[in-house]
């Protein structure tokens, strides 16, 4: 396990590369979903306004 | 022109929205599955490289991101061209959704390449033609996003952004051929159409899996953003309000992490 | 923030980004488009020898000499027509080895290239060690052509 994490001495480079990739992509997935939900909530609020 | 009918439907905001709603949950899970398989294969199963040791495992992130950075730009440019010629609004929305995702892939490609370069080349960064043109791509994405945010009037906004996107497309062949046209520190492509790949099959499979996973992830995120944009624009349209009152819209917004 | 201010901010950001991109292009075209010169260009005098330059080529087999106490190292860089002796004081990158590509940055002094920086150039091949051993003969024939065009 330690050996795997060490990556033949390149652990710091390999894991920071994978870390950056993961963080940036996760932030993307989240922001796409947040945008969708925000617009959906806005549309629902609009419908309730027009009903009352 | 009957054969055009399905296409015409798809480019209408309403059908695009419904089509996306149907495929997004599936797409999410398939993407996750492929990405996890690719990651596991690349990190655990793929053999060590004969020259670079374990550090080469960075390419499983780096190369697919670099491909996606260019692919996303080409999609954006294609959408912009269609939008400028036929004024199909959904194309403008899809291009808008693509820009931040493409910028992210470019950023990942640059950062991971740098982390590979430090131990292997002996430097984080050099101003060679490949690295410089990829950095310009990042600035192009930023420029496109900034220009869109700067113009409020929707008609002018779409047109101006589409034009800028099309101007920037010259950079794509420059990135691709930079390693052939000029002396660069960056190595030439390992996978080309002309010759057999100079990467061993045991490393090629996880690389292609990651590339497929990134492509699907891009589609997933771009479709969801486009859906958001459709709601934003069509907020008062009858079909959307009807769907809302029937409560048929996926409120969770799909699957995934 | 007012819409007007926001617009101004974004226009400024857009202009800055585009200016930055253009400057980078110009900078790249001025001196760095050719990232390195070959030993042949140095021998024929077509490389700008009066300034700091980079030379690139293959590290000649059996040419690397290291002194055990210090980081001083000397080796020959070749493009198979001409070769130059390079001296360097510093840590070599991990991919530096005989028979592989290298780029050295520095100046030519009395026909010896004194490098301030040595970068290793990777080829486009990725394979496990066993396969590499099998392909060794084939590779020796292919690699030189790809480095020097």
């Amino acid at each position: 396990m330690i050996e795997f994490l060490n990556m033949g001495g390149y652990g710091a480079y390999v894991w920071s590369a994978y870390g950056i990739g993961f963080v940036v992509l996760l932030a993307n997935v989240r922001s796409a979903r947040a945008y969708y939900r925000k617009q959906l909530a806005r549309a629902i609020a609009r419908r309730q306004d027009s009903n009352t | 022109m009957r054969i055009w009918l399905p296409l015409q439907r798809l480019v209408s905001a309403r059908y695009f929205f419904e089509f996306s709603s149907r495929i997004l949950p599936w797409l999410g899970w398939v993407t996750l599955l492929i990405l996890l398989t690719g990651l596991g294969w690349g990190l655990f199963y793929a053999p060590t490289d004969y020259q670079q040791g374990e550090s080469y495992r960075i390419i499983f992130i780096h190369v697919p991101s670099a491909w996606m950075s260019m692919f996303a730009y080409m999609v954006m440019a294609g959408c912009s061209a269609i939008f400028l010629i036929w004024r199909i609004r959904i194309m403008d929305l899809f291009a808008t959704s693509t820009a931040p995702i493409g910028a992210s892939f470019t950023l990942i490609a640059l950062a991971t390449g740098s982390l590979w370069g430090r131990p292997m080349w002996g430097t984080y960064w050099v101003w060679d033609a490949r690295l410089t043109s990829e950095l310009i791509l990042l600035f192009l994405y930023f420029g496109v996003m900034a220009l869109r945010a700067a113009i409020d009037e929707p008609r002018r906004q779409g047109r101006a952004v589409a034009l800028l996107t099309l101007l920037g497309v010259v950079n794509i062949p420059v990135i691709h051929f930079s390693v052939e046209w000029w002396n660069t520190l960056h190595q030439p492509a390992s996978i080309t159409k002309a010759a057999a790949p100079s990467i061993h099959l045991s490393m090629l499979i996880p690389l292609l899996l990651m590339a497929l996973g990134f492509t699907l992830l891009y589609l997933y995120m771009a479709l969801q953003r486009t859906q958001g944009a459709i709601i934003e624009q069509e907020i008062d349209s009858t079909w959307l309000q009807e769907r809302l009152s029937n409560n048929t819209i996926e409120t969770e917004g799909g699957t995934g992490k | 923030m007012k819409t007007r201010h926001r617009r101004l901010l974004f226009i400024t950001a857009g202009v800055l980004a585009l200016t930055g991109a253009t400057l980078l292009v110009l900078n790249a075209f001025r001196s760095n488009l050719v990232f390195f010169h070959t030993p042949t260009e140095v021998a024929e005098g077509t490389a700008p020898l009066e300034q700091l330059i980079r030379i690139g080529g293959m590290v000649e087999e059996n040419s690397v000499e290291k002194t055990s106490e210090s980081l001083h190292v000397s080796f020959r860089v070749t493009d198979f027509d001409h070769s130059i002796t390079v001296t360097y004081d510093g840590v070599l990158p991990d991919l530096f080895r005989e028979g592989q590509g290298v780029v050295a940055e520095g100046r030519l002094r009395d026909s010896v290239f004194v490098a301030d920086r040595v970068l290793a150039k990777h080829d486009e091949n990725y394979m496990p060690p066993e396969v590499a051993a099998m392909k060794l003969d084939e590779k020796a024939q292919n690699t030189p052509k790809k480095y020097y065009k």
Side-chain angles (χ1 to χ4, degrees):
Chain A
M1 187 64 192
I2 300 287
E3 199 185 322
F4 173 70
L5 289 179
N6 187 38
M7 280 281 159
Y10 298 117
Y13 298 108
V14 173
W15 296 119
S16 29
Y18 277 82
I20 288 171
F22 183 76
V23 168
V24 173
L25 290 180
L26 190 68
N28 262 277
V29 171
R30 293 205 159 178
S31 96
R33 184 164 311 161
Y35 173 63
Y36 172 79
R37 286 189 184 160
K38 191 181 132 194
Q39 296 310 326
L40 194 64
R42 221 167 58 97
I44 290 170
R46 178 73 67 100
R47 181 171 60 96
Q48 280 154 358
D49 283 352
S50 60
N51 284 352
T52 51
Chain B
M1 293 294 274
R2 184 183 270 166
I3 53 161
W4 287 106
L5 201 60
L7 265 180
Q8 279 173 352
R9 281 187 163 182
L10 195 60
V11 298
S12 90
R14 180 182 176 179
Y15 283 94
F16 188 93
F17 189 92
E18 271 160 18
F19 174 74
S20 305
S21 302
R22 223 171 299 144
I23 68 163
L24 267 178
W26 291 96
L27 188 60
W29 288 115
V30 171
T31 307
L32 195 65
L33 187 74
I34 291 177
L35 279 179
L36 288 178
T37 314
L39 266 180
W41 198 320
L43 282 173
F44 299 99
Y45 194 67
T48 306
D49 184 69
Y50 76 123
Q51 290 284 347
Q52 309 165 57
E54 305 293 344
S55 73
Y56 95 97
R57 293 186 198 277
I58 292 174
I59 68 160
F60 297 125
I61 300 281
H62 172 74
V63 175
S65 314
W67 283 343
M68 288 313 296
S69 70
M70 294 193 275
F71 176 71
Y73 199 92
M74 289 308 290
V75 172
M76 203 165 79
C79 288
S80 299
I82 296 172
F83 173 69
L84 278 184
I85 301 167
W86 290 287
R87 292 290 140 91
I88 299 170
R89 212 161 35 88
I90 199 84
M91 292 296 154
D92 186 38
L93 299 183
F94 197 77
T96 316
S97 310
T98 296
I101 307 170
S104 305
F105 279 123
T106 315
L107 197 66
I108 296 173
L110 288 169
T112 55
S114 178
L115 285 166
W116 179 88
R118 179 70 194 109
M120 291 296 114
W121 287 343
T123 179
Y124 283 114
W125 183 263
V126 288
W127 293 100
D128 83 346
R130 169 58 73 85
L131 277 68
T132 308
S133 54
E134 183 75 11
L135 185 64
I136 290 169
L137 182 66
L138 184 66
F139 279 92
L140 276 171
Y141 276 121
F142 286 162
V144 164
M145 285 155 72
L147 184 64
R148 192 174 293 277
I151 305 175
D152 287 333
E153 207 249 298
R155 283 191 163 198
R156 280 201 311 141
Q157 183 198 65
R159 255 178 280 170
V161 171
L163 259 172
L164 176 65
T165 308
L166 286 175
L167 284 179
V169 97
V170 282
N171 190 39
I172 297 295
V174 172
I175 297 176
H176 182 77
F177 292 109
S178 55
V179 289
E180 292 177 25
W181 289 343
W182 301 295
N183 289 338
T184 53
L185 187 62
H186 195 284
Q187 55 270 31
S190 294
I191 299 164
T192 52
K193 282 188 200 129
S198 45
I199 170 165
H200 193 258
L201 194 66
S202 55
M203 301 161 168
L204 181 64
I205 293 171
L207 184 65
L208 293 181
L209 273 176
M210 289 302 284
L212 179 65
F214 275 25
T215 313
L216 295 178
L217 185 63
Y218 155 65
L219 274 181
Y220 178 81
M221 296 188 292
L223 284 180
Q224 191 157 53
R225 278 186 179 280
T226 308
Q227 277 197 318
I230 289 172
I231 300 178
E232 188 170 13
Q233 289 211 343
E234 306 251 320
I235 194 157
D236 289 321
S237 68
T238 336
W239 70 268
L240 186 69
Q241 290 299 337
E242 266 172 20
R243 277 201 68 164
L244 282 174
S245 46
N246 295 339
N247 215 2
T248 48
I249 286 186
E250 171 76 73
T251 43
E252 285 304 302
T255 47
K257 288 169 197 157
Chain C
M1 215 189 312
K2 274 185 197 151
T3 321
R4 206 149 39 90
H5 291 161
R6 197 174 54 101
R7 204 183 304 162
L8 187 68
L9 184 77
F10 280 121
I11 288 177
T12 319
V15 168
L16 280 180
L18 286 177
T19 318
T22 319
L23 282 179
L24 288 176
V25 178
L26 291 178
N27 185 45
F29 269 85
R30 202 186 59 222
S31 58
N32 291 306
L33 213 49
V34 171
F35 190 69
F36 57 80
H37 300 274
T38 60
T40 302
E41 285 172 47
V42 174
E44 288 169 355
T46 47
L49 294 178
E50 65 286 352
Q51 53 185 21
L52 190 76
I53 60 162
R54 299 194 194 93
I55 57 161
M58 182 86 82
V59 182
E60 212 170 89
E61 299 282 352
N62 306 318
S63 73
V64 179
E65 286 170 28
K66 284 180 186 169
T67 24
S68 46
E69 312 88 78
S70 69
L71 287 168
H72 187 82
V73 62
S74 85
F75 54 90
R76 293 183 70 75
V77 171
T78 177
D79 59 4
F80 302 99
D81 287 328
H82 294 85
S83 64
I84 302 175
T85 304
V86 176
T87 63
Y88 176 61
D89 286 280
V91 183
L92 292 166
D94 293 1
L95 268 186
F96 178 90
R97 55 202 68 179
E98 292 179 350
Q100 283 277 337
V102 73
V103 173
E105 189 177 274
R107 279 170 210 279
L108 196 68
R109 289 198 186 116
D110 308 323
S111 74
V112 169
F113 193 84
V114 182
D116 307 324
R117 200 150 78 123
V118 170
L119 303 174
K121 189 169 167 18
H122 179 51
D123 58 27
E124 70 275 38
N125 296 302
Y126 296 85
M127 60 188 119
E130 314 87 76
V131 183
M134 270 160 38
K135 283 195 173 174
L136 207 63
D137 300 335
E138 185 195 333
K139 193 176 161 282
Q141 290 165 2
N142 287 338
T143 325
K145 270 183 277 164
K146 284 179 177 163
Y147 276 116
Y148 316 104
K149 282 166 287 197

